[in-house]
Amino acid sequence: MADHRLPRQHPLRSPLCKLPFSLLILALITSSISNPSGTASAFNLTTITFDQGYSPLFSDFNIDRSPDDKSVRLLLNRHSGSGIISSDYYNYGFFSANIKLPSDYTAGVVVAFYTSNVDMYEKNHDELDFEFLGNIKGKPWRFQTNMYGNGSTSRGREERYRLWFDPSKEFHRYSILWTPVKIIFYVDEVPIREAVRNEAMGGDFPSKPMSMYATIWDASTWATNGGKHKADYKYEPFASEFTDLVLEGCPVDPINQLSATNCTQAAAKLEAADYSVITPDQRRAMSWFREKYMYYTYCYDSYRYPVPPPECVIVPSEKELFKESGRLKEAMKMKFGGHRKHRHGRRSSRRQSGVQQAAM
């Protein structure tokens, strides 16, 4: 069982210690807790089985489904990575899973959970992603989120963070909300990033139907400390587990963009859901996370963007932590133990990487 103790400046008192760590953050930053029983409400989600929503993407032999079909393990070994894809394309949606990452030494191993339509729109694809960047045992896990619209890979909107828990010890929920007006990335019930659409973004806001993907693959050339630490296959197989799968949205034909239901109604349902509104408590939790655990953001990278992209909200308490490169100031790096040199180029396709590896 993972150690869920907060830092010493935040002592736990019963009955809050019964809560998942991420919900404790929400509870402890709240001035009063409305539910004295010690429970906290999570999102109201309907989960599905693998067959109800997903299909193998590549390397079926490295995909291990549970007997009840409610969970799936994706494996990476010296022969291949593996991946799954949603059976449908979605015109907006909420995509979520409880995920446990590979344990022990996982440098060079990338686990990705993301939406994309690169197979349909190779030169102008949309994408929203979580990418977990491998790890050296004993070091904090690092991950990134990104957003592409209409092939805007040259204007990548990546942010990088470390986690406040060990994601290989137990499951945590990672979620992406994508509506016509906003995008929110969640870790458990903590919103870690929000992008609100405005007209100045133009096609940079993802707007074409996308599928949901989950993959594991060897990214030794760049993932962990800029490629300094590579995958070591004496630890194979590397396994990432996915359970409590959620696909909520409007399934569509990606070519004709026709749906069996009314996507206007589906979008309205998404906007009315509890995960579509960031509460004041969640807003404070997001500020806590971003000021304590984010170590790069494109919004403060004035070398790349002398004028911040239109969706950026400049928060003074955040901005003062970062240099003009968008990286943490030297004084702030001490609490992170150093960071890899940031890359700005487009990454190779996760599907391509997995297929290439499978062919080795």
Side-chain angles (χ1 to χ4, degrees), residues 12-175:
L12 292 181
R13 296 181 176 88
S14 179
L16 291 182
C17 57
K18 299 177 182 179
L19 302 181
F21 190 88
S22 300
L23 293 180
L24 281 168
I25 293 301
L26 289 175
L28 291 174
I29 63 174
T30 309
S31 58
S32 63
I33 301 175
S34 59
N35 187 349
S37 68
T39 61
S41 60
F43 294 141
N44 182 21
L45 303 175
T46 301
T47 61
I48 60 173
T49 64
F50 182 88
D51 260 345
Q52 286 175 322
Y54 283 92
S55 302
L57 176 64
F58 64 91
S59 300
D60 297 33
F61 54 86
N62 270 350
I63 299 173
D64 182 15
R65 293 162 61 175
S66 65
D68 62 7
D69 207 36
K70 294 181 179 179
S71 302
V72 61
R73 290 200 315 154
L74 300 183
L75 305 179
L76 166 69
N77 55 30
R78 68 187 65 238
H79 303 295
S80 177
S82 55
I84 60 176
I85 183 173
S86 62
S87 303
D88 292 310
Y89 282 77
Y90 291 86
N91 194 12
Y92 306 112
F94 182 80
F95 313 101
S96 183
N98 272 322
I99 303 173
K100 185 162 68 171
L101 298 179
S103 59
D104 215 330
Y105 181 92
T106 57
V109 177
V110 166
V111 175
F113 186 63
Y114 64 105
T115 66
S116 180
N117 49 33
V118 68
D119 288 349
M120 293 297 301
Y121 306 98
E122 183 177 355
K123 297 186 182 300
N124 61 336
H125 83 285
D126 306 297
E127 183 176 321
L128 299 168
D129 61 34
F130 278 102
E131 282 189 312
F132 302 93
L133 304 176
N135 192 47
I136 303 168
K137 190 173 183 179
K139 299 291 185 181
W141 270 82
R142 299 175 185 182
F143 72 106
Q144 68 182 21
T145 62
N146 214 332
M147 174 176 70
Y148 297 127
N150 205 33
S152 59
T153 55
S154 64
R155 297 187 298 281
R157 290 166 155 85
E158 63 266 47
E159 292 188 340
R160 290 198 170 190
Y161 331 84
R162 65 186 181 112
L163 285 165
W164 64 91
F165 53 83
D166 184 344
S168 69
K169 296 297 185 184
E170 58 186 22
F171 288 93
H172 287 267
R173 180 166 291 282
Y174 304 90
S175 308

Side-chain angles (χ1 to χ4, degrees), residues 267-342:
K269 184 179 178 180
L270 286 173
E271 286 290 340
D274 51 3
Y275 47 67
S276 191
V277 178
I278 299 179
T279 67
D281 292 340
Q282 288 176 313
R283 187 72 63 183
R284 287 190 285 271
M286 182 164 67
S287 295
W288 164 84
F289 171 81
R290 294 177 65 81
E291 293 182 16
K292 188 172 179 63
Y293 294 100
M294 182 168 65
Y295 66 87
Y296 173 82
T297 173
Y298 71 104
C299 284
Y300 302 140
D301 190 342
S302 59
Y303 296 154
R304 294 174 70 190
Y305 302 108
V307 177
E311 74 279 3
C312 287
V313 176
I314 305 303
V315 180
S317 58
E318 279 183 13
K319 186 176 181 180
E320 68 181 8
L321 305 177
F322 293 88
K323 299 185 292 185
E324 292 183 347
S325 63
R327 302 183 183 94
L328 279 177
K329 292 179 178 177
E330 293 300 322
M332 301 304 297
K333 285 187 179 182
M334 296 299 293
K335 66 179 181 180
F336 290 90
H339 307 292
R340 66 175 284 266
K341 185 177 181 181
H342 190 73

